[in-house]
């Protein structure tokens, strides 16, 4: 099982470049950042953790652009994977986003993983012209259209939310297939969507009892005719050896730890201590 780090980026504290460099040096496998373009002041969407319109952290309204953040991280690292937890693709133009992700994969040497979400903040989606009750369809179309641009010499797509005629678009990603993880709650509907349209599941911090969820995902994965096993990345865990061993036995492929909202020096020291608890081998 691999170990990753997620930085809730904002315009204060440690920079993504510094955090990614420290995480790579400490031996972590993946560096994740989130996305929110904006937070409407007046909202009807309850936050998953608070259950109402209040936010648990003011960084929701201060989040850096994820692809700019990961580009700065790419420039100062060589090995660590660059990922989102999670990005909201339907809040961008899909043709532009495909170009951005392909460029990052090209310039980083093939290190991008796209962690995507449907978006809990329906008010935010509405400002981008995406109806909340169509967000699953919209995300599927975005992923299909971007994949076409990444893999086809003359790409085209015709859907409800994305449509373009035969087009040229380079660079292509270095990776033959950019991994896609869906960050969403553990329902049968979500797992069926993952089995049909993604490569794995990114849990939410509230998903602590994973045994039954992992078993259901694997069952649906094989029922949909997928080979192998889905990637399963667990958010919000603690570095408890027994817990981590159990997650590994379930088939969790990566456990992701969130960085504290502290000064840069404190965050770098925290990364080092966590790596020690996990007995990671420092990069050389």
């Amino acid at each position: 099982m691999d170990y990753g780090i997620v930085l809730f980026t904002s315009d204060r504290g440690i920079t993504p470049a510094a955090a990614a460099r420290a995480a790579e040096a400490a031996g972590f496998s993946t560096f994740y950042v989130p996305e929110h373009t904006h937070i409407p002041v007046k909202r009807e969407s309850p936050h998953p953790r608070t259950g109402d319109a209040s936010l648990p952290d003011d960084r929701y309204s201060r989040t850096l652009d994820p692809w700019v953040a990961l580009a700065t991280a790419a420039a100062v690292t060589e090995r660590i994977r660059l990922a989102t937890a999670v990005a909201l693709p339907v809040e961008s133009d899909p043709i532009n986003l495909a170009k951005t992700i392909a460029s990052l994969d090209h310039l980083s040497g093939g290190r991008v993983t796209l962690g995507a979400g449907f978006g809990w903040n329906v008010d935010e989606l509405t400002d981008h012209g995406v109806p909340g009750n169509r967000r699953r369809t919209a995300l599927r179309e975005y992923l299909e259209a971007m994949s076409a641009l990444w893999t086809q010499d003359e790409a085209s797509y015709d859907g409800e939310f994305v449509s373009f005629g035969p087009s040229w678009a380079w660079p292509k990603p270095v990776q033959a297939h950019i991994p896609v993880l869906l960050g969403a709650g553990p329902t049968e509907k979500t797992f069926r969507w993952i089995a049909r349209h993604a490569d794995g599941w990114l849990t939410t911090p509230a998903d602590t009892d994973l045994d039954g969820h992992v078993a259901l995902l694997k069952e649906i994965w094989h029922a949909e005719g997928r080979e192998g096993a889905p990637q399963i990345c667990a958010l919000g865990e603690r570095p408890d050896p027994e817990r981590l061993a159990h997650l590994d036995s379930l088939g969790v492929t990566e456990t992701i730890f969130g960085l504290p909202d502290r000064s840069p020096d404190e965050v770098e020291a925290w990364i080092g201590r966590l790596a020690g608890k996990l007995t990671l081998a420092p990069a050389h």
Side-chain angles (χ1 to χ4, degrees):
M1 184 171 65
D2 292 329
Y3 297 109
I5 286 289
V6 58
L7 171 67
F8 199 149
T9 58
S10 76
D11 55 357
R12 66 166 184 257
I14 194 168
T15 65
R21 185 170 51 209
E24 178 175 83
F28 288 92
S29 298
T30 313
F31 177 69
Y32 293 84
V33 297
E35 177 173 27
H36 280 286
T37 57
H38 69 300
I39 300 293
V41 174
K42 294 184 177 180
R43 301 185 315 283
E44 295 182 1
S45 303
H47 187 277
R49 284 170 56 190
T50 65
D52 55 33
S54 63
L55 298 171
D57 194 309
D58 74 328
R59 288 176 292 179
Y60 278 91
S61 57
R62 311 181 74 91
T63 310
L64 303 181
D65 178 274
W67 307 109
V68 173
L70 291 178
T72 66
V76 298
T77 58
E78 297 179 352
R79 175 194 57 80
I80 198 166
R81 288 196 65 81
L82 308 167
T84 47
V86 291
L88 301 167
V90 300
E91 295 187 353
S92 298
D93 175 86
I95 300 173
N96 285 347
L97 183 58
K99 172 73 76 173
T100 296
I101 296 174
S103 297
L104 179 60
D105 201 65
H106 169 74
L107 293 172
S108 69
R111 291 190 276 149
V112 173
T113 294
L114 173 56
F118 298 128
W120 63 266
N121 194 341
V122 174
D123 306 272
E124 182 180 348
L125 295 173
T126 298
D127 286 348
H128 288 282
V130 179
N133 63 352
R134 302 292 291 159
R135 53 190 166 172
R136 289 172 177 260
T137 299
L139 180 57
R140 172 182 57 79
E141 289 192 4
Y142 268 57
L143 294 176
E144 290 173 349
M146 291 194 296
S147 179
L149 290 164
W150 292 334
T151 60
Q152 299 172 16
D153 287 349
E154 289 191 6
S156 61
Y157 192 83
D158 185 18
E160 178 183 352
F161 294 94
V162 186
S163 183
F164 55 88
S167 304
W168 297 319
W170 274 268
K172 304 300 183 187
V174 171
Q175 300 175 93
H177 174 75
I178 290 181
V180 175
L181 306 173
L182 180 72
T187 66
E188 182 176 343
K189 184 178 180 180
T190 290
F191 289 161
R192 202 163 301 283
W193 196 100
I194 290 172
R196 292 173 178 174
H197 310 298
D199 301 295
W201 177 39
L202 189 63
T203 76
T204 74
D207 302 323
T208 55
D209 185 12
L210 295 183
D211 296 49
H213 300 323
V214 170
L216 179 59
L217 174 56
K218 289 182 177 179
E219 177 184 335
I220 292 174
W221 183 267
H222 294 298
E224 290 289 336
R226 297 291 295 268
E227 296 181 354
Q231 295 182 45
I232 301 172
C233 301
L235 272 170
E237 298 288 342
R238 296 182 178 275
D240 175 76
E242 290 187 7
R243 173 63 176 171
L244 296 177
H246 179 65
L247 293 176
D248 191 20
S249 71
L250 291 179
V252 171
T253 51
E254 184 173 59
T255 299
I256 305 165
F257 301 92
L259 294 179
D261 185 16
R262 298 176 187 167
S263 71
D265 288 347
E266 289 176 302
V267 171
E268 290 192 22
W270 189 94
I271 290 172
R273 291 194 300 272
L274 178 61
K277 293 177 182 177
L278 299 172
T279 64
L280 298 182
H284 296 289

